[in-house]
Amino acid sequence: MAMATPTNGGGGGGRRRRRRGGNRPMSDINVTPMVDVMLVLLIVFMVAAPLMTVGVPIDLPQSAARPLDTQQKPVVITVTPDGAAFLGDEPVTLADLPARLDEMGLDKAVDRINVQGDSAASYGAVVQVMGTLSGAGYSRIGLITEQARDQ
């Protein structure tokens, strides 16, 4: 028995007929995997965002004063329980503090500088920071406290 092959001119003729659109690319996009990935990313960022707060961990004293309405991001100097001073997250000595603030381009008469001291920090350490700022010509110095909880 002989077999029909394309080379011997058998019954198939060597060509197959294609159905319409058999090899055309599929034009539908499956968005389900993309939605799944986006939901996972949303959950990850919702959980991680509160953990991204930056700063020196201190225990602020409580006060009954209401918060101030400020339009600009304030400059914060932190005093830790051992008396060390931080400008933002970076440690700074009292002697270098005015120069570091001048590098930031602050207007001494207009820009507000906030001092936050740990409730265990000595009163003298906080006053030294405020005195250094006042001696350098900064006139708008504020103290940061926590809102008092009703007891």
Side-chain angles (χ1 to χ4, degrees):
M1 259 196 167
M3 291 181 63
T5 61
T7 58
N8 65 7
R15 290 189 180 180
R16 292 185 184 173
R17 288 193 174 187
R18 295 184 198 170
R19 292 186 184 166
R20 273 189 142 159
N23 282 339
R24 288 181 26 207
M26 188 171 85
S27 63
D28 296 338
I29 297 175
N30 188 2
V31 295
T32 304
M34 182 183 70
V35 171
D36 290 344
V37 169
M38 295 305 288
L39 287 174
V40 168
L41 288 174
L42 176 69
I43 292 170
V44 166
F45 283 115
M46 285 175 58
V47 169
L51 302 176
M52 288 190 232
T53 57
V54 213
V56 180
I58 60 170
D59 182 26
L60 290 173
Q62 295 182 358
S63 172
R66 286 185 272 145
L68 295 175
D69 295 328
T70 57
Q71 307 301 339
Q72 65 185 19
K73 184 176 180 183
V75 176
V76 177
I77 299 171
T78 305
V79 180
T80 60
D82 59 353
F86 287 81
L87 178 59
D89 293 337
E90 300 176 11
V92 64
T93 62
L94 291 180
D96 294 338
L97 185 59
R100 296 279 299 274
L101 291 172
D102 290 339
E103 289 174 3
M104 296 173 69
L106 298 176
D107 185 2
K108 294 181 179 184
V110 176
D111 290 328
R112 177 177 299 277
I113 298 176
N114 294 323
V115 178
Q116 63 180 2
D118 192 290
S119 60
S122 72
Y123 179 69
V126 176
V127 170
Q128 282 181 342
V129 170
M130 293 177 71
T132 301
L133 293 172
S134 180
Y138 292 96
S139 58
R140 300 190 63 173
I141 303 168
L143 291 173
I144 297 178
T145 59
E146 280 187 345
Q147 190 72 28
R149 297 180 198 103
D150 293 334
Q151 296 176 7

mmCIF file of all heavy atoms in Angstrom, residues 93-145:
data_model
loop_
_atom_site.group_PDB
_atom_site.id
_atom_site.type_symbol
_atom_site.label_atom_id
_atom_site.label_comp_id
_atom_site.label_asym_id
_atom_site.label_seq_id
_atom_site.Cartn_x
_atom_site.Cartn_y
_atom_site.Cartn_z
ATOM 1 N N THR A 93 24.413 69.054 67.258
ATOM 2 C CA THR A 93 24.856 69.672 68.509
ATOM 3 C C THR A 93 24.273 71.082 68.588
ATOM 4 O O THR A 93 23.893 71.666 67.567
ATOM 5 C CB THR A 93 26.396 69.752 68.571
ATOM 6 O OG1 THR A 93 26.856 70.584 67.504
ATOM 7 C CG2 THR A 93 27.017 68.368 68.456
ATOM 8 N N LEU A 94 24.217 71.619 69.797
ATOM 9 C CA LEU A 94 23.667 72.967 69.969
ATOM 10 C C LEU A 94 24.513 74.007 69.241
ATOM 11 O O LEU A 94 23.989 74.995 68.736
ATOM 12 C CB LEU A 94 23.549 73.310 71.453
ATOM 13 C CG LEU A 94 22.486 72.530 72.228
ATOM 14 C CD1 LEU A 94 22.479 72.960 73.686
ATOM 15 C CD2 LEU A 94 21.124 72.721 71.615
ATOM 16 N N ALA A 95 25.821 73.781 69.162
ATOM 17 C CA ALA A 95 26.693 74.733 68.472
ATOM 18 C C ALA A 95 26.437 74.733 66.964
ATOM 19 O O ALA A 95 26.556 75.767 66.308
ATOM 20 C CB ALA A 95 28.157 74.393 68.755
ATOM 21 N N ASP A 96 26.105 73.582 66.404
ATOM 22 C CA ASP A 96 25.876 73.477 64.952
ATOM 23 C C ASP A 96 24.442 73.788 64.543
ATOM 24 O O ASP A 96 24.165 73.941 63.355
ATOM 25 C CB ASP A 96 26.209 72.059 64.473
ATOM 26 C CG ASP A 96 27.685 71.734 64.609
ATOM 27 O OD1 ASP A 96 28.490 72.687 64.660
ATOM 28 O OD2 ASP A 96 28.029 70.538 64.645
ATOM 29 N N LEU A 97 23.550 73.882 65.501
ATOM 30 C CA LEU A 97 22.123 74.037 65.180
ATOM 31 C C LEU A 97 21.813 75.292 64.362
ATOM 32 O O LEU A 97 21.140 75.199 63.330
ATOM 33 C CB LEU A 97 21.296 73.994 66.468
ATOM 34 C CG LEU A 97 19.787 74.017 66.313
ATOM 35 C CD1 LEU A 97 19.310 72.833 65.477
ATOM 36 C CD2 LEU A 97 19.116 73.998 67.672
ATOM 37 N N PRO A 98 22.285 76.497 64.740
ATOM 38 C CA PRO A 98 21.969 77.679 63.926
ATOM 39 C C PRO A 98 22.509 77.573 62.493
ATOM 40 O O PRO A 98 21.829 77.969 61.538
ATOM 41 C CB PRO A 98 22.635 78.831 64.685
ATOM 42 C CG PRO A 98 22.751 78.354 66.085
ATOM 43 C CD PRO A 98 22.972 76.884 65.981
ATOM 44 N N ALA A 99 23.704 77.021 62.329
ATOM 45 C CA ALA A 99 24.274 76.885 60.980
ATOM 46 C C ALA A 99 23.461 75.914 60.138
ATOM 47 O O ALA A 99 23.235 76.148 58.936
ATOM 48 C CB ALA A 99 25.731 76.423 61.077
ATOM 49 N N ARG A 100 23.017 74.823 60.737
ATOM 50 C CA ARG A 100 22.205 73.845 59.997
ATOM 51 C C ARG A 100 20.870 74.446 59.581
ATOM 52 O O ARG A 100 20.369 74.181 58.492
ATOM 53 C CB ARG A 100 21.969 72.597 60.850
ATOM 54 C CG ARG A 100 23.206 71.801 61.203
ATOM 55 C CD ARG A 100 23.656 70.873 60.090
ATOM 56 N NE ARG A 100 22.682 69.892 59.738
ATOM 57 C CZ ARG A 100 22.524 68.709 60.331
ATOM 58 N NH1 ARG A 100 23.313 68.365 61.316
ATOM 59 N NH2 ARG A 100 21.591 67.892 59.922
ATOM 60 N N LEU A 101 20.271 75.282 60.447
ATOM 61 C CA LEU A 101 19.011 75.930 60.105
ATOM 62 C C LEU A 101 19.211 76.974 59.006
ATOM 63 O O LEU A 101 18.362 77.145 58.137
ATOM 64 C CB LEU A 101 18.379 76.560 61.345
ATOM 65 C CG LEU A 101 17.858 75.580 62.388
ATOM 66 C CD1 LEU A 101 17.443 76.312 63.648
ATOM 67 C CD2 LEU A 101 16.714 74.771 61.826
ATOM 68 N N ASP A 102 20.351 77.688 59.054
ATOM 69 C CA ASP A 102 20.643 78.660 58.000
ATOM 70 C C ASP A 102 20.831 77.977 56.648
ATOM 71 O O ASP A 102 20.459 78.526 55.612
ATOM 72 C CB ASP A 102 21.887 79.478 58.353
ATOM 73 C CG ASP A 102 21.642 80.434 59.521
ATOM 74 O OD1 ASP A 102 20.462 80.756 59.783
ATOM 75 O OD2 ASP A 102 22.630 80.853 60.160
ATOM 76 N N GLU A 103 21.405 76.769 56.649
ATOM 77 C CA GLU A 103 21.575 76.009 55.401
ATOM 78 C C GLU A 103 20.230 75.652 54.779
ATOM 79 O O GLU A 103 20.133 75.488 53.567
ATOM 80 C CB GLU A 103 22.352 74.714 55.664
ATOM 81 C CG GLU A 103 23.814 74.908 55.980
ATOM 82 C CD GLU A 103 24.485 73.608 56.379
ATOM 83 O OE1 GLU A 103 23.820 72.551 56.351
ATOM 84 O OE2 GLU A 103 25.673 73.652 56.736
ATOM 85 N N MET A 104 19.206 75.512 55.613
ATOM 86 C CA MET A 104 17.879 75.166 55.108
ATOM 87 C C MET A 104 17.186 76.363 54.462
ATOM 88 O O MET A 104 16.139 76.211 53.843
ATOM 89 C CB MET A 104 17.015 74.606 56.246
ATOM 90 C CG MET A 104 17.553 73.310 56.821
ATOM 91 S SD MET A 104 16.641 72.767 58.277
ATOM 92 C CE MET A 104 15.088 72.318 57.549
ATOM 93 N N GLY A 105 17.744 77.573 54.618
ATOM 94 C CA GLY A 105 17.183 78.761 53.992
ATOM 95 C C GLY A 105 15.943 79.294 54.688
ATOM 96 O O GLY A 105 15.033 79.796 54.039
ATOM 97 N N LEU A 106 15.908 79.214 56.003
ATOM 98 C CA LEU A 106 14.741 79.683 56.751
ATOM 99 C C LEU A 106 14.790 81.190 56.966
ATOM 100 O O LEU A 106 15.866 81.772 57.150
ATOM 101 C CB LEU A 106 14.667 78.985 58.111
ATOM 102 C CG LEU A 106 14.500 77.465 58.089
ATOM 103 C CD1 LEU A 106 14.540 76.929 59.504
ATOM 104 C CD2 LEU A 106 13.210 77.094 57.417
ATOM 105 N N ASP A 107 13.641 81.817 56.946
ATOM 106 C CA ASP A 107 13.521 83.239 57.276
ATOM 107 C C ASP A 107 13.324 83.323 58.788
ATOM 108 O O ASP A 107 12.326 82.825 59.329
ATOM 109 C CB ASP A 107 12.335 83.851 56.530
ATOM 110 C CG ASP A 107 12.227 85.342 56.746
ATOM 111 O OD1 ASP A 107 13.091 85.915 57.443
ATOM 112 O OD2 ASP A 107 11.274 85.941 56.206
ATOM 113 N N LYS A 108 14.244 83.963 59.476
ATOM 114 C CA LYS A 108 14.241 83.975 60.940
ATOM 115 C C LYS A 108 13.014 84.666 61.530
ATOM 116 O O LYS A 108 12.579 84.333 62.619
ATOM 117 C CB LYS A 108 15.511 84.630 61.471
ATOM 118 C CG LYS A 108 16.747 83.831 61.147
ATOM 119 C CD LYS A 108 17.984 84.481 61.690
ATOM 120 C CE LYS A 108 19.199 83.627 61.355
ATOM 121 N NZ LYS A 108 20.419 84.158 61.927
ATOM 122 N N ALA A 109 12.447 85.615 60.814
ATOM 123 C CA ALA A 109 11.312 86.360 61.357
ATOM 124 C C ALA A 109 9.975 85.719 61.007
ATOM 125 O O ALA A 109 8.972 85.982 61.663
ATOM 126 C CB ALA A 109 11.335 87.792 60.828
ATOM 127 N N VAL A 110 9.933 84.860 59.989
ATOM 128 C CA VAL A 110 8.656 84.342 59.502
ATOM 129 C C VAL A 110 8.472 82.853 59.793
ATOM 130 O O VAL A 110 7.403 82.424 60.232
ATOM 131 C CB VAL A 110 8.520 84.588 57.976
ATOM 132 C CG1 VAL A 110 7.261 83.968 57.434
ATOM 133 C CG2 VAL A 110 8.578 86.070 57.682
ATOM 134 N N ASP A 111 9.505 82.053 59.539
ATOM 135 C CA ASP A 111 9.364 80.595 59.649
ATOM 136 C C ASP A 111 9.307 80.155 61.105
ATOM 137 O O ASP A 111 10.030 80.652 61.961
ATOM 138 C CB ASP A 111 10.526 79.889 58.943
ATOM 139 C CG ASP A 111 10.442 80.041 57.444
ATOM 140 O OD1 ASP A 111 9.314 80.102 56.926
ATOM 141 O OD2 ASP A 111 11.496 80.100 56.789
ATOM 142 N N ARG A 112 8.418 79.189 61.360
ATOM 143 C CA ARG A 112 8.216 78.648 62.698
ATOM 144 C C ARG A 112 9.114 77.428 62.896
ATOM 145 O O ARG A 112 9.231 76.579 62.015
ATOM 146 C CB ARG A 112 6.766 78.242 62.890
ATOM 147 C CG ARG A 112 6.480 77.595 64.239
ATOM 148 C CD ARG A 112 5.028 77.276 64.421
ATOM 149 N NE ARG A 112 4.190 78.458 64.374
ATOM 150 C CZ ARG A 112 3.982 79.269 65.415
ATOM 151 N NH1 ARG A 112 4.550 79.014 66.568
ATOM 152 N NH2 ARG A 112 3.204 80.320 65.308
ATOM 153 N N ILE A 113 9.717 77.347 64.066
ATOM 154 C CA ILE A 113 10.520 76.188 64.453
ATOM 155 C C ILE A 113 9.856 75.579 65.671
ATOM 156 O O ILE A 113 9.605 76.268 66.669
ATOM 157 C CB ILE A 113 11.972 76.587 64.773
ATOM 158 C CG1 ILE A 113 12.621 77.184 63.527
ATOM 159 C CG2 ILE A 113 12.749 75.380 65.268
ATOM 160 C CD1 ILE A 113 14.011 77.683 63.751
ATOM 161 N N ASN A 114 9.544 74.289 65.583
ATOM 162 C CA ASN A 114 8.883 73.593 66.680
ATOM 163 C C ASN A 114 9.892 72.731 67.431
ATOM 164 O O ASN A 114 10.708 72.039 66.819
ATOM 165 C CB ASN A 114 7.746 72.716 66.159
ATOM 166 C CG ASN A 114 6.630 73.551 65.578
ATOM 167 O OD1 ASN A 114 6.319 74.620 66.074
ATOM 168 N ND2 ASN A 114 6.023 73.066 64.522
ATOM 169 N N VAL A 115 9.820 72.762 68.733
ATOM 170 C CA VAL A 115 10.677 71.955 69.596
ATOM 171 C C VAL A 115 9.792 70.941 70.290
ATOM 172 O O VAL A 115 8.775 71.300 70.887
ATOM 173 C CB VAL A 115 11.410 72.834 70.633
ATOM 174 C CG1 VAL A 115 12.260 71.973 71.555
ATOM 175 C CG2 VAL A 115 12.259 73.883 69.947
ATOM 176 N N GLN A 116 10.168 69.666 70.178
ATOM 177 C CA GLN A 116 9.437 68.628 70.908
ATOM 178 C C GLN A 116 10.421 67.918 71.825
ATOM 179 O O GLN A 116 11.460 67.457 71.398
ATOM 180 C CB GLN A 116 8.736 67.656 69.959
ATOM 181 C CG GLN A 116 9.631 66.848 69.060
ATOM 182 C CD GLN A 116 8.833 65.916 68.164
ATOM 183 O OE1 GLN A 116 7.615 65.903 68.191
ATOM 184 N NE2 GLN A 116 9.536 65.126 67.376
ATOM 185 N N GLY A 117 10.078 67.897 73.087
ATOM 186 C CA GLY A 117 10.938 67.259 74.073
ATOM 187 C C GLY A 117 10.224 66.080 74.708
ATOM 188 O O GLY A 117 9.022 66.135 74.970
ATOM 189 N N ASP A 118 10.949 65.015 74.921
ATOM 190 C CA ASP A 118 10.397 63.848 75.601
ATOM 191 C C ASP A 118 9.969 64.263 77.000
ATOM 192 O O ASP A 118 10.571 65.145 77.614
ATOM 193 C CB ASP A 118 11.463 62.746 75.661
ATOM 194 C CG ASP A 118 10.885 61.422 76.083
ATOM 195 O OD1 ASP A 118 10.503 61.296 77.267
ATOM 196 O OD2 ASP A 118 10.793 60.519 75.242
ATOM 197 N N SER A 119 8.903 63.649 77.502
ATOM 198 C CA SER A 119 8.417 64.021 78.835
ATOM 199 C C SER A 119 9.438 63.678 79.918
ATOM 200 O O SER A 119 9.399 64.254 81.003
ATOM 201 C CB SER A 119 7.075 63.338 79.129
ATOM 202 O OG SER A 119 7.221 61.942 79.077
ATOM 203 N N ALA A 120 10.382 62.779 79.617
ATOM 204 C CA ALA A 120 11.426 62.436 80.574
ATOM 205 C C ALA A 120 12.670 63.305 80.392
ATOM 206 O O ALA A 120 13.605 63.216 81.183
ATOM 207 C CB ALA A 120 11.801 60.961 80.429
ATOM 208 N N ALA A 121 12.713 64.139 79.348
ATOM 209 C CA ALA A 121 13.861 65.015 79.115
ATOM 210 C C ALA A 121 13.877 66.114 80.177
ATOM 211 O O ALA A 121 12.833 66.569 80.649
ATOM 212 C CB ALA A 121 13.790 65.637 77.723
ATOM 213 N N SER A 122 15.073 66.547 80.522
ATOM 214 C CA SER A 122 15.159 67.605 81.537
ATOM 215 C C SER A 122 14.682 68.927 80.951
ATOM 216 O O SER A 122 14.844 69.201 79.762
ATOM 217 C CB SER A 122 16.595 67.729 82.049
ATOM 218 O OG SER A 122 17.406 68.318 81.057
ATOM 219 N N TYR A 123 14.087 69.710 81.808
ATOM 220 C CA TYR A 123 13.602 71.028 81.409
ATOM 221 C C TYR A 123 14.761 71.884 80.894
ATOM 222 O O TYR A 123 14.623 72.641 79.934
ATOM 223 C CB TYR A 123 12.919 71.683 82.616
ATOM 224 C CG TYR A 123 12.385 73.067 82.367
ATOM 225 C CD1 TYR A 123 11.294 73.256 81.537
ATOM 226 C CD2 TYR A 123 12.972 74.173 82.958
ATOM 227 C CE1 TYR A 123 10.789 74.528 81.315
ATOM 228 C CE2 TYR A 123 12.478 75.442 82.742
ATOM 229 C CZ TYR A 123 11.384 75.611 81.910
ATOM 230 O OH TYR A 123 10.896 76.868 81.693
ATOM 231 N N GLY A 124 15.924 71.719 81.500
ATOM 232 C CA GLY A 124 17.102 72.492 81.107
ATOM 233 C C GLY A 124 17.542 72.193 79.680
ATOM 234 O O GLY A 124 17.963 73.096 78.953
ATOM 235 N N ALA A 125 17.448 70.931 79.250
ATOM 236 C CA ALA A 125 17.866 70.583 77.889
ATOM 237 C C ALA A 125 16.953 71.228 76.853
ATOM 238 O O ALA A 125 17.415 71.743 75.833
ATOM 239 C CB ALA A 125 17.871 69.069 77.712
ATOM 240 N N VAL A 126 15.661 71.257 77.136
ATOM 241 C CA VAL A 126 14.706 71.881 76.211
ATOM 242 C C VAL A 126 14.920 73.392 76.186
ATOM 243 O O VAL A 126 14.917 74.023 75.125
ATOM 244 C CB VAL A 126 13.253 71.530 76.613
ATOM 245 C CG1 VAL A 126 12.259 72.254 75.732
ATOM 246 C CG2 VAL A 126 13.029 70.029 76.528
ATOM 247 N N VAL A 127 15.165 73.987 77.339
ATOM 248 C CA VAL A 127 15.385 75.426 77.412
ATOM 249 C C VAL A 127 16.690 75.810 76.719
ATOM 250 O O VAL A 127 16.773 76.863 76.078
ATOM 251 C CB VAL A 127 15.360 75.899 78.887
ATOM 252 C CG1 VAL A 127 15.833 77.339 79.018
ATOM 253 C CG2 VAL A 127 13.969 75.753 79.444
ATOM 254 N N GLN A 128 17.714 74.969 76.799
ATOM 255 C CA GLN A 128 18.967 75.247 76.099
ATOM 256 C C GLN A 128 18.758 75.287 74.589
ATOM 257 O O GLN A 128 19.297 76.157 73.904
ATOM 258 C CB GLN A 128 20.027 74.200 76.443
ATOM 259 C CG GLN A 128 20.675 74.403 77.785
ATOM 260 C CD GLN A 128 21.727 73.340 78.053
ATOM 261 O OE1 GLN A 128 21.739 72.287 77.416
ATOM 262 N NE2 GLN A 128 22.603 73.615 78.990
ATOM 263 N N VAL A 129 17.954 74.357 74.058
ATOM 264 C CA VAL A 129 17.669 74.353 72.624
ATOM 265 C C VAL A 129 16.908 75.618 72.249
ATOM 266 O O VAL A 129 17.238 76.297 71.264
ATOM 267 C CB VAL A 129 16.869 73.088 72.230
ATOM 268 C CG1 VAL A 129 16.354 73.197 70.805
ATOM 269 C CG2 VAL A 129 17.728 71.849 72.381
ATOM 270 N N MET A 130 15.904 75.966 73.050
ATOM 271 C CA MET A 130 15.125 77.174 72.761
ATOM 272 C C MET A 130 15.985 78.430 72.890
ATOM 273 O O MET A 130 15.858 79.375 72.096
ATOM 274 C CB MET A 130 13.910 77.244 73.684
ATOM 275 C CG MET A 130 12.907 76.150 73.411
ATOM 276 S SD MET A 130 11.516 76.172 74.536
ATOM 277 C CE MET A 130 10.667 77.641 73.982
ATOM 278 N N GLY A 131 16.891 78.477 73.848
ATOM 279 C CA GLY A 131 17.793 79.613 74.008
ATOM 280 C C GLY A 131 18.762 79.742 72.843
ATOM 281 O O GLY A 131 19.065 80.856 72.397
ATOM 282 N N THR A 132 19.249 78.610 72.354
ATOM 283 C CA THR A 132 20.137 78.628 71.192
ATOM 284 C C THR A 132 19.413 79.182 69.969
ATOM 285 O O THR A 132 19.961 79.987 69.217
ATOM 286 C CB THR A 132 20.659 77.206 70.903
ATOM 287 O OG1 THR A 132 21.353 76.726 72.057
ATOM 288 C CG2 THR A 132 21.589 77.193 69.711
ATOM 289 N N LEU A 133 18.151 78.750 69.784
ATOM 290 C CA LEU A 133 17.366 79.245 68.650
ATOM 291 C C LEU A 133 17.090 80.737 68.789
ATOM 292 O O LEU A 133 17.215 81.506 67.827
ATOM 293 C CB LEU A 133 16.053 78.473 68.547
ATOM 294 C CG LEU A 133 16.175 77.000 68.187
ATOM 295 C CD1 LEU A 133 14.823 76.319 68.304
ATOM 296 C CD2 LEU A 133 16.736 76.840 66.793
ATOM 297 N N SER A 134 16.721 81.169 69.977
ATOM 298 C CA SER A 134 16.426 82.570 70.211
ATOM 299 C C SER A 134 17.684 83.425 70.044
ATOM 300 O O SER A 134 17.631 84.512 69.462
ATOM 301 C CB SER A 134 15.846 82.753 71.610
ATOM 302 O OG SER A 134 15.556 84.097 71.849
ATOM 303 N N GLY A 135 18.811 82.936 70.521
ATOM 304 C CA GLY A 135 20.076 83.660 70.373
ATOM 305 C C GLY A 135 20.519 83.771 68.916
ATOM 306 O O GLY A 135 21.231 84.699 68.552
ATOM 307 N N ALA A 136 20.100 82.827 68.082
ATOM 308 C CA ALA A 136 20.448 82.864 66.658
ATOM 309 C C ALA A 136 19.505 83.766 65.874
ATOM 310 O O ALA A 136 19.681 83.946 64.671
ATOM 311 C CB ALA A 136 20.432 81.450 66.078
ATOM 312 N N GLY A 137 18.480 84.315 66.524
ATOM 313 C CA GLY A 137 17.588 85.254 65.851
ATOM 314 C C GLY A 137 16.244 84.691 65.438
ATOM 315 O O GLY A 137 15.440 85.390 64.834
ATOM 316 N N TYR A 138 15.964 83.440 65.759
ATOM 317 C CA TYR A 138 14.669 82.845 65.411
ATOM 318 C C TYR A 138 13.646 83.269 66.461
ATOM 319 O O TYR A 138 13.829 83.019 67.656
ATOM 320 C CB TYR A 138 14.771 81.317 65.330
ATOM 321 C CG TYR A 138 15.624 80.877 64.169
ATOM 322 C CD1 TYR A 138 16.967 80.579 64.333
ATOM 323 C CD2 TYR A 138 15.087 80.771 62.893
ATOM 324 C CE1 TYR A 138 17.754 80.194 63.271
ATOM 325 C CE2 TYR A 138 15.870 80.387 61.826
ATOM 326 C CZ TYR A 138 17.200 80.103 62.020
ATOM 327 O OH TYR A 138 17.972 79.731 60.951
ATOM 328 N N SER A 139 12.577 83.922 66.011
ATOM 329 C CA SER A 139 11.621 84.481 66.963
ATOM 330 C C SER A 139 10.337 83.671 67.084
ATOM 331 O O SER A 139 9.590 83.847 68.036
ATOM 332 C CB SER A 139 11.271 85.920 66.568
ATOM 333 O OG SER A 139 10.730 85.942 65.259
ATOM 334 N N ARG A 140 10.068 82.790 66.143
ATOM 335 C CA ARG A 140 8.830 81.998 66.191
ATOM 336 C C ARG A 140 9.173 80.561 66.577
ATOM 337 O O ARG A 140 9.361 79.707 65.726
ATOM 338 C CB ARG A 140 8.124 82.057 64.848
ATOM 339 C CG ARG A 140 7.758 83.500 64.479
ATOM 340 C CD ARG A 140 6.879 83.553 63.319
ATOM 341 N NE ARG A 140 5.630 82.881 63.664
ATOM 342 C CZ ARG A 140 4.572 82.871 62.884
ATOM 343 N NH1 ARG A 140 4.600 83.472 61.737
ATOM 344 N NH2 ARG A 140 3.482 82.239 63.249
ATOM 345 N N ILE A 141 9.227 80.315 67.869
ATOM 346 C CA ILE A 141 9.584 79.002 68.405
ATOM 347 C C ILE A 141 8.368 78.457 69.135
ATOM 348 O O ILE A 141 7.775 79.133 69.969
ATOM 349 C CB ILE A 141 10.782 79.101 69.376
ATOM 350 C CG1 ILE A 141 11.979 79.742 68.666
ATOM 351 C CG2 ILE A 141 11.158 77.721 69.904
ATOM 352 C CD1 ILE A 141 13.091 80.138 69.608
ATOM 353 N N GLY A 142 7.978 77.223 68.806
ATOM 354 C CA GLY A 142 6.825 76.595 69.440
ATOM 355 C C GLY A 142 7.196 75.281 70.094
ATOM 356 O O GLY A 142 8.223 74.687 69.792
ATOM 357 N N LEU A 143 6.353 74.828 71.010
ATOM 358 C CA LEU A 143 6.531 73.540 71.673
ATOM 359 C C LEU A 143 5.468 72.578 71.181
ATOM 360 O O LEU A 143 4.296 72.939 71.034
ATOM 361 C CB LEU A 143 6.427 73.690 73.195
ATOM 362 C CG LEU A 143 7.564 74.439 73.871
ATOM 363 C CD1 LEU A 143 7.245 74.659 75.337
ATOM 364 C CD2 LEU A 143 8.862 73.669 73.714
ATOM 365 N N ILE A 144 5.848 71.330 70.945
ATOM 366 C CA ILE A 144 4.910 70.296 70.491
ATOM 367 C C ILE A 144 4.563 69.415 71.682
ATOM 368 O O ILE A 144 5.443 68.949 72.412
ATOM 369 C CB ILE A 144 5.531 69.442 69.365
ATOM 370 C CG1 ILE A 144 5.809 70.311 68.144
ATOM 371 C CG2 ILE A 144 4.614 68.281 68.999
ATOM 372 C CD1 ILE A 144 6.468 69.562 67.010
ATOM 373 N N THR A 145 3.266 69.183 71.885
ATOM 374 C CA THR A 145 2.781 68.279 72.921
ATOM 375 C C THR A 145 1.726 67.365 72.307
ATOM 376 O O THR A 145 1.288 67.576 71.181
ATOM 377 C CB THR A 145 2.136 69.056 74.090
ATOM 378 O OG1 THR A 145 1.055 69.819 73.584
ATOM 379 C CG2 THR A 145 3.154 69.970 74.767
#
